[in-house]
Structure formats: structure tokens, C-alpha cells
Amino acid sequence: MARMFGTDGVRGVAGSPQLDRDLAVALGRAAVRRLGPEILIGRDSRSSGPMLEQALVDGICAEGGTAHLAGIIPTPAVAYLTHTTEADCGIVISASHNPPEYNGIKFFDADGFKLPDAVEDEVQAIVEELRGEEVAAGEAERMADATQRYIDHAVGIAEQRGVSLAGLTIALDCAYGASCETTPAALRALGADLVVINDVFDGEKINVDCGSTHLGPVTELLETSGADLALAHDGDADRLLAVAPGGQVADGDFIIAICALDMQERGVLENDLVVTTVMANLGFTQAMEAAGIVVASTKVGDRYVLQTMREQGGCLGGEQSGHIIFLQHNTTGDGLATAINLLCVIATSGKPLSELMGVMKRYPQSLVNVRVRDKALYGNDEAISEAEMRARERLGGEGRLLVRPSGTEPLIRVMVEATTQQEADEAASEVAAVIADRIGGDSAVS
């Protein structure tokens, strides 16, 4: 059987063989057998969430475990609550930034960290043994204070620094997802004025033309409201992107750079180290090196960023997508913690986001996603390899090409960085066209 776990748990179209009730029941049973009986479960607002939640509960109870339901709550809240309670394991039902028809099941250990590959493989072996077995309906216990405990924790990040957000007006997009209650409540508790959109739980609209993957609506809100900046989450709120007036986007590279320099100045950037992925912009690396900050680079995936942070003694790391880990605050990417850290820099420096973004120059990038029939076909196609070689030769030493299969969707991602946007766009389009021609599916290039 192929490996069940991707870069961020088990994911697929809800109800399909890749993510049906039977699989969720078996995952619940396997979690008790491998990780322990006390299991905390949270989910985002997707319509398939209750079905998968009940299936997990049934599996957990069938093995004599206890399921504690936190309700609709951000992924980072589950990580935080898992390691601050007596839970043996945390489970999140979410497909993060993916469309509404997808869902996923991901795990945290008792310390709030995502499972290493070896443990995931052990869980999968148990699942393969158990799939297809019927179990009785189980009954869960509900955590009445889960949301408030996470809000209080987030508010404490700023309060410990003595920082108020009074005087800041923020445009916020909650993407109809898990942050609809938590982020507005936390930012208002810190004194910020908010104008908010997409802040109701809606499993049919989650991530659809909104949130951190579609910044148009919140950018428009920023301009019409006259807010100081805009913030946008994805569906499970483990990511955050920001927008300055005029539409200048602060992606994860900018946010990490701004916060790294602030932390270095305050003497809390451990080992003067930040950890990013191979997708980080060249301008980010140059800015950090100029400040005497070491940049460690990993393959794409927050789990690999975290692994390197723990191995090398770092406390800050993340991805260009806005998935950022402040290890002193949480054990995984946390969109609300990211928002509060960024807003604290704005509040204490007195500088607007647009000025803070001057810490780095962004080299032009082009990212093209190619939908494919089978990601496994990518590595064995000679014509694609030749197209990549031609692009690298053309870019020379003044750019780079990165081609990688998505860990969560049937996509091949083509990223090009060059000295001009035209060069980046042309090189990315040429490589993507060859991939689409050779192994593309319907509506291949986006």
C-alpha cells in the first residue's frame, strides 16, 4: 500500500476512499493503540468535518479511549491545548488551505508536535490491519473552554511584552474557517479596531476566493475602510499573510524578516538563526545575512522547518506561504501568534507595515501550478528533465528554478526566480507547458 500520510497528515476528497468513514474509524483506533487513550479533537468548518469527527470518536471509544472535542478551532489551538493538558494526542480534522471538498486528519503528539515519519508509518500499519472492521457508536466529552483558553494564550503574547494594539485599525479575512471566533476576539482584547469579512463558519465557502490564498477581498476591504493594514488566514488559521495600503503583500518571507530583526534587537532570537524552505526568496536570504542572521533552508513543509529548528536550536522559522512557527509560543505554525508578533513590531516601532517591509528586497518570482494525472510520473519523464535543464541554463547564475510535486494535491509546482518578472514568468510558463503536455490532467495550468 502507498504511503497514507502526506506532508501534513492524511488528506483527500472527503468521502472518497482516500478519506472516508472507514479510514477515520481506523485512524482513531490506531491513535489509541500507538499514542494513548486521551485524545483531543478539533476541526475547521468544512461540511464533512462532523462525519469524520464522529468516525474518529467511534474508533477511539472502540479501543477504550476518551475523545475530547474542542469544536471548530484553529489547528494551532489543538497543538497548544494538547501539550497544556493531559492529552496523549491531538487530532485536527482540516485540509488547511485546500478547497471545501477536501478534508484531512493530522496528528500531534502529547507535546504538541506533529508526528515524525516513523511514527506515522507505525500508525499506518495499524490502520491497514483494522480497516473494514465495524465498531459501535462512541460518545465524546466536550471541552467547553477550549476556544477561550487559546484566545487567552494568544492575548498573553502581547501582554507579556506590555504591548497594546490600541490605535491600530485592521482589515481581517477569516476565510469562513476556524479563526472566525478566535482572531477577532484576541485582537479586540488587545485594543485593535477591526473590520472583518468572511467571519462565519461556512463549510461550503471555506477558502473559496478568500483568505490567505485569495487576497483580493481583504485588499479591497483595506482600501475602502482606510485600515492601517490587512490580515488574512487560511481555513485552519495556521497561516497568515498581510497587506499594506496600496496592495503591497507581506508574505511569509517579509513577516519572518521583520520579526527576526525585531527579535534579534530584543536579544531573543536564539542562536541568531531563522529556518525557511527552498521556496524562500533570495532577497530574504540576503537581508538576513546582512544582519548577521544565519538562514537554514529545508525542503517544503512546516514539519521539516520545525525539525531543523529543534535540531539547530532555532525559535523562529516558516514558509513563504505564511506558515510561521514561533517556538516560544507554540509548537506548530500559528496564524494568530504570527499576527500578534507582527502587530507588536508595528505598535512598538511606530512604523507602518509598508516601511517595515523595506527590510528586504523581493526578487521577482513566478509560481505556476500544473494539475497532473499522477505525480509519480514527474520524476521519470525525459522531456520534462530537458525543459528544466534549458530553463536553468537560460537563468544562469542570476536566477533559479524549483520544480516539486505538491504534498497535498495532484499538482506539480514550478517556481522561477529571476532578475525581472518577465524572465521569471517566461521560464516558469515554458517548463509548466511541457509538464502539462506530458503528464497534465484537465485544466492543467493555473
CSV table of all heavy atoms in Angstrom, one decimal, residues 91-116:
chain,number,residue,atom,x,y,z
A,91,ILE,N,-5.8,15.6,17.5
A,91,ILE,CA,-6.1,15.3,16.1
A,91,ILE,C,-6.9,16.5,15.6
A,91,ILE,O,-7.8,17.0,16.2
A,91,ILE,CB,-7.0,14.1,16.0
A,91,ILE,CG1,-6.3,12.8,16.5
A,91,ILE,CG2,-7.4,13.8,14.5
A,91,ILE,CD1,-7.1,11.5,16.4
A,92,VAL,N,-6.5,16.9,14.4
A,92,VAL,CA,-7.1,18.0,13.7
A,92,VAL,C,-7.8,17.5,12.4
A,92,VAL,O,-7.1,16.8,11.6
A,92,VAL,CB,-6.2,19.2,13.3
A,92,VAL,CG1,-6.9,20.3,12.6
A,92,VAL,CG2,-5.4,19.7,14.5
A,93,ILE,N,-9.0,17.8,12.2
A,93,ILE,CA,-9.8,17.5,11.0
A,93,ILE,C,-9.8,18.7,10.2
A,93,ILE,O,-10.6,19.7,10.4
A,93,ILE,CB,-11.2,17.0,11.3
A,93,ILE,CG1,-11.1,15.8,12.3
A,93,ILE,CG2,-11.9,16.6,10.0
A,93,ILE,CD1,-12.5,15.5,12.9
A,94,SER,N,-9.0,18.8,9.2
A,94,SER,CA,-8.8,20.0,8.3
A,94,SER,C,-8.0,19.7,7.1
A,94,SER,O,-7.1,18.9,7.2
A,94,SER,CB,-8.2,21.2,9.1
A,94,SER,OG,-8.0,22.3,8.3
A,95,ALA,N,-8.3,20.4,6.0
A,95,ALA,CA,-7.5,20.4,4.9
A,95,ALA,C,-6.8,21.8,4.7
A,95,ALA,O,-6.5,22.1,3.5
A,95,ALA,CB,-8.2,20.0,3.6
A,96,SER,N,-6.7,22.5,5.7
A,96,SER,CA,-5.9,23.8,5.7
A,96,SER,C,-6.4,24.7,4.7
A,96,SER,O,-7.5,25.2,4.7
A,96,SER,CB,-4.4,23.4,5.6
A,96,SER,OG,-3.6,24.6,5.8
A,97,HIS,N,-5.6,25.0,3.7
A,97,HIS,CA,-5.9,26.0,2.6
A,97,HIS,C,-6.6,25.4,1.4
A,97,HIS,O,-6.9,26.1,0.5
A,97,HIS,CB,-4.6,26.7,2.2
A,97,HIS,CG,-3.6,25.7,1.6
A,97,HIS,ND1,-2.9,24.8,2.4
A,97,HIS,CD2,-3.2,25.4,0.3
A,97,HIS,CE1,-2.1,24.0,1.6
A,97,HIS,NE2,-2.3,24.4,0.3
A,98,ASN,N,-6.8,24.1,1.4
A,98,ASN,CA,-7.4,23.4,0.3
A,98,ASN,C,-8.9,23.7,0.1
A,98,ASN,O,-9.5,24.2,1.0
A,98,ASN,CB,-7.2,21.9,0.4
A,98,ASN,CG,-5.8,21.4,0.2
A,98,ASN,OD1,-5.4,20.3,0.7
A,98,ASN,ND2,-4.9,22.2,-0.4
A,99,PRO,N,-9.5,23.5,-1.1
A,99,PRO,CA,-10.9,23.8,-1.3
A,99,PRO,C,-11.8,23.0,-0.4
A,99,PRO,O,-11.4,22.0,0.3
A,99,PRO,CB,-11.1,23.3,-2.8
A,99,PRO,CG,-9.7,23.4,-3.4
A,99,PRO,CD,-8.8,23.0,-2.3
A,100,PRO,N,-13.1,23.4,-0.4
A,100,PRO,CA,-14.1,22.8,0.6
A,100,PRO,C,-14.3,21.3,0.5
A,100,PRO,O,-14.6,20.7,1.5
A,100,PRO,CB,-15.4,23.6,0.3
A,100,PRO,CG,-14.9,24.8,-0.3
A,100,PRO,CD,-13.7,24.5,-1.1
A,101,GLU,N,-14.2,20.8,-0.7
A,101,GLU,CA,-14.5,19.3,-0.9
A,101,GLU,C,-13.4,18.4,-0.2
A,101,GLU,O,-13.6,17.3,0.0
A,101,GLU,CB,-14.6,19.0,-2.3
A,101,GLU,CG,-13.4,19.2,-3.2
A,101,GLU,CD,-13.3,20.5,-3.8
A,101,GLU,OE1,-13.9,21.5,-3.3
A,101,GLU,OE2,-12.6,20.7,-4.9
A,102,TYR,N,-12.2,19.0,0.0
A,102,TYR,CA,-11.1,18.3,0.6
A,102,TYR,C,-11.3,18.3,2.2
A,102,TYR,O,-11.9,19.2,2.7
A,102,TYR,CB,-9.8,18.9,0.3
A,102,TYR,CG,-9.3,18.5,-1.1
A,102,TYR,CD1,-9.7,19.3,-2.2
A,102,TYR,CD2,-8.4,17.5,-1.4
A,102,TYR,CE1,-9.3,19.0,-3.5
A,102,TYR,CE2,-8.0,17.2,-2.6
A,102,TYR,CZ,-8.4,17.9,-3.7
A,102,TYR,OH,-8.0,17.6,-5.0
A,103,ASN,N,-10.7,17.3,2.8
A,103,ASN,CA,-10.5,17.4,4.2
A,103,ASN,C,-9.3,16.6,4.6
A,103,ASN,O,-8.6,16.0,3.7
A,103,ASN,CB,-11.7,16.8,5.0
A,103,ASN,CG,-12.0,17.6,6.3
A,103,ASN,OD1,-11.0,18.1,7.0
A,103,ASN,ND2,-13.2,17.9,6.6
A,104,GLY,N,-8.9,16.6,5.8
A,104,GLY,CA,-7.7,15.9,6.3
A,104,GLY,C,-7.8,15.5,7.7
A,104,GLY,O,-8.6,16.0,8.5
A,105,ILE,N,-6.9,14.6,8.1
A,105,ILE,CA,-6.7,14.2,9.5
A,105,ILE,C,-5.3,14.2,9.8
A,105,ILE,O,-4.5,13.5,9.2
A,105,ILE,CB,-7.3,12.8,9.8
A,105,ILE,CG1,-8.8,12.8,9.5
A,105,ILE,CG2,-7.1,12.4,11.2
A,105,ILE,CD1,-9.5,11.4,9.5
A,106,LYS,N,-4.9,15.1,10.8
A,106,LYS,CA,-3.5,15.2,11.1
A,106,LYS,C,-3.3,15.1,12.6
A,106,LYS,O,-4.3,15.5,13.4
A,106,LYS,CB,-2.8,16.5,10.6
A,106,LYS,CG,-3.6,17.8,10.8
A,106,LYS,CD,-3.1,18.9,10.0
A,106,LYS,CE,-3.9,20.2,10.0
A,106,LYS,NZ,-3.4,21.3,9.2
A,107,PHE,N,-2.1,14.7,13.1
A,107,PHE,CA,-1.9,14.3,14.5
A,107,PHE,C,-0.8,15.2,15.1
A,107,PHE,O,0.2,15.6,14.5
A,107,PHE,CB,-1.5,12.9,14.5
A,107,PHE,CG,-2.5,11.9,14.1
A,107,PHE,CD1,-2.7,11.6,12.7
A,107,PHE,CD2,-3.3,11.2,15.0
A,107,PHE,CE1,-3.7,10.7,12.3
A,107,PHE,CE2,-4.3,10.3,14.6
A,107,PHE,CZ,-4.4,10.1,13.3
A,108,PHE,N,-1.0,15.4,16.4
A,108,PHE,CA,0.0,16.0,17.2
A,108,PHE,C,0.3,15.0,18.4
A,108,PHE,O,-0.6,14.4,18.9
A,108,PHE,CB,-0.4,17.3,17.8
A,108,PHE,CG,-0.5,18.4,16.8
A,108,PHE,CD1,-1.8,18.8,16.5
A,108,PHE,CD2,0.5,19.1,16.3
A,108,PHE,CE1,-2.0,19.9,15.5
A,108,PHE,CE2,0.4,20.1,15.3
A,108,PHE,CZ,-0.9,20.5,15.0
A,109,ASP,N,1.6,14.9,18.8
A,109,ASP,CA,1.9,14.1,19.9
A,109,ASP,C,1.6,14.8,21.2
A,109,ASP,O,1.1,15.9,21.2
A,109,ASP,CB,3.3,13.6,19.9
A,109,ASP,CG,4.4,14.7,20.1
A,109,ASP,OD1,4.0,15.8,20.6
A,109,ASP,OD2,5.5,14.4,19.7
A,110,ALA,N,1.8,14.2,22.4
A,110,ALA,CA,1.5,14.8,23.7
A,110,ALA,C,2.2,16.1,23.9
A,110,ALA,O,1.7,16.9,24.7
A,110,ALA,CB,1.8,13.8,24.8
A,111,ASP,N,3.3,16.3,23.3
A,111,ASP,CA,4.0,17.6,23.4
A,111,ASP,C,3.6,18.7,22.4
A,111,ASP,O,4.1,19.8,22.4
A,111,ASP,CB,5.5,17.4,23.3
A,111,ASP,CG,6.0,16.5,24.5
A,111,ASP,OD1,5.6,16.7,25.6
A,111,ASP,OD2,6.9,15.7,24.2
A,112,GLY,N,2.6,18.3,21.6
A,112,GLY,CA,2.1,19.3,20.6
A,112,GLY,C,2.8,19.3,19.3
A,112,GLY,O,2.6,20.2,18.5
A,113,PHE,N,3.7,18.4,19.0
A,113,PHE,CA,4.5,18.3,17.8
A,113,PHE,C,3.9,17.3,16.8
A,113,PHE,O,3.3,16.3,17.2
A,113,PHE,CB,5.9,17.9,18.1
A,113,PHE,CG,6.7,19.0,18.8
A,113,PHE,CD1,7.0,18.8,20.2
A,113,PHE,CD2,7.1,20.2,18.2
A,113,PHE,CE1,7.7,19.7,20.9
A,113,PHE,CE2,7.8,21.1,19.0
A,113,PHE,CZ,8.1,20.9,20.3
A,114,LYS,N,4.0,17.6,15.5
A,114,LYS,CA,3.5,16.7,14.5
A,114,LYS,C,4.3,15.4,14.6
A,114,LYS,O,5.5,15.5,14.9
A,114,LYS,CB,3.6,17.4,13.1
A,114,LYS,CG,2.5,18.5,13.0
A,114,LYS,CD,2.5,19.1,11.6
A,114,LYS,CE,1.5,20.2,11.5
A,114,LYS,NZ,1.5,20.9,10.2
A,115,LEU,N,3.7,14.3,14.2
A,115,LEU,CA,4.4,13.0,14.3
A,115,LEU,C,5.5,12.9,13.3
A,115,LEU,O,5.4,13.3,12.1
A,115,LEU,CB,3.4,11.9,14.1
A,115,LEU,CG,2.1,11.9,14.9
A,115,LEU,CD1,1.3,10.6,14.6
A,115,LEU,CD2,2.5,11.9,16.4
A,116,PRO,N,6.6,12.3,13.7
A,116,PRO,CA,7.7,12.0,12.7
A,116,PRO,C,7.3,10.9,11.8
A,116,PRO,O,6.3,10.2,12.0
A,116,PRO,CB,8.9,11.6,13.6
A,116,PRO,CG,8.2,11.1,14.9
A,116,PRO,CD,7.0,11.9,15.1
